[in-house]
Amino acid sequence: MHPVLFYIPDFLPFIGGRPIHTYGALVATAFLVGLWWSKTEAKRVGLSPERVLDLFFYIVLSAIIGSRLLYVVASVPQWWKDPMVFVRFWEGGLVFYGGLIGAVATSVYYTRKHDLPFFKVADVFAPGIAIGHAIGRLGCFAAGCCFGKPASPDAWYAVIFPLTDFAIAPHDHPVYPTQLFESFGELCIFLFLMWFRRKKTFDGEVFLMYLIIYPILRSVLEIYRGDTIRGFVVEGVLSTSQFISIIWFVMALILWFSILKRKKG
């Protein structure tokens, strides 16, 4: 609930007095944690840490661009009013699925170019995606974006966002803290994948497990989301994120059973 982490001191030239947004700081923290995880896990499974870190750089770049592009597509009117909204990602407005699509596409290209096993690399990154997303959603909570629908004032989980200069969420009634719900859910997914990665039967199973579990979590949470910036495929019934969740879920299941069938054969 604190969109601004702190202000740069006024005595510093050119940048004095500028706000450091909590959202941007937590997103940066999420990427750093993901970097640490990827390097550590790459060493454990026998992949080149240098190659993995090189890929991580391209993933971060493509994830930011992809998540911002999907945000802009979902908020076309706002984009036309202020085109600079595209580059001010530290103020909020990164759509996770756009980033995931960009990251997967970049990873496929990179692993093919450098003759790396895509699914083994994907298994390295999957838990890092979950824990990074968990941290990033805390940034959403601080910024007030991705807020929930109105909740009962008596509900223990209900929150009221304060009115600030950077307010996004409604401040005149309690809402579901969907950001915190998703952050907790992603933390649980991370802990599960940490355990599951040592039980997997084939390369890619950890990544596919993530693509099966997360869409379920996201689709349920979308029911309680109150913001409309993400858009709807069927107005008021099926959000854009739920539609993409269904696609990821079905693709992951088909691929999983296909690999298992091939393995048994």
Side-chain angles (χ1 to χ4, degrees), residues 1 133-148 159 161 169 175-186 221 225 227:
M1 293 190 185
H133 199 179
I135 297 171
R137 280 303 182 200
L138 296 179
C140 293
F141 184 70
C145 60
C146 309
F147 55 87
V159 297
F161 286 89
V175 297
Y176 285 96
T178 46
Q179 311 95 325
L180 298 183
F181 292 163
E182 186 165 359
S183 180
F184 177 74
E186 286 281 13
L221 287 173
R225 285 276 291 267
D227 62 317

Side-chain angles (χ1 to χ4, degrees), residues 13-183:
F14 305 112
I15 60 172
R18 292 183 180 274
I20 298 298
H21 293 268
T22 308
Y23 179 90
L26 284 170
V27 168
T29 301
F31 282 129
L32 288 175
V33 171
L35 176 66
W36 168 81
W37 171 267
S38 302
K39 182 179 179 180
T40 303
E41 188 68 0
K43 289 180 178 179
R44 187 186 73 85
V45 301
L47 288 172
S48 167
E50 291 75 21
R51 283 294 188 195
V52 170
L53 292 181
D54 189 37
L55 173 58
F56 185 86
F57 169 78
Y58 292 111
I59 284 178
V60 170
L61 186 61
S62 60
I64 292 175
I65 294 174
S67 58
R68 197 61 173 177
L69 276 174
L70 191 54
Y71 171 78
V72 169
V73 168
S75 56
V76 172
Q78 182 180 349
W79 160 250
W80 285 115
K81 292 178 182 177
D82 181 15
M84 288 303 293
V85 70
F86 181 77
V87 298
R88 295 199 300 269
F89 63 88
W90 54 84
E91 296 180 3
L94 299 178
V95 179
F96 173 75
Y97 270 134
L100 182 61
I101 293 170
V104 170
T106 298
S107 299
V108 170
Y109 172 79
Y110 185 93
T111 52
R112 286 188 175 184
K113 181 179 179 180
H114 295 281
D115 196 26
L116 294 171
F118 169 76
F119 281 119
K120 190 172 184 178
V121 173
D123 281 351
V124 167
F125 282 105
I129 295 173
I131 190 61
H133 199 179
I135 297 171
R137 280 303 182 200
L138 296 179
C140 293
F141 184 70
C145 60
C146 309
F147 55 87
K149 292 179 178 178
S152 170
D154 299 326
W156 63 268
Y157 50 77
V159 297
I160 299 178
F161 286 89
L163 177 61
T164 68
D165 293 338
F166 302 95
I168 299 175
H171 59 275
D172 55 352
H173 61 265
V175 297
Y176 285 96
T178 46
Q179 311 95 325
L180 298 183
F181 292 163
E182 186 165 359
S183 180

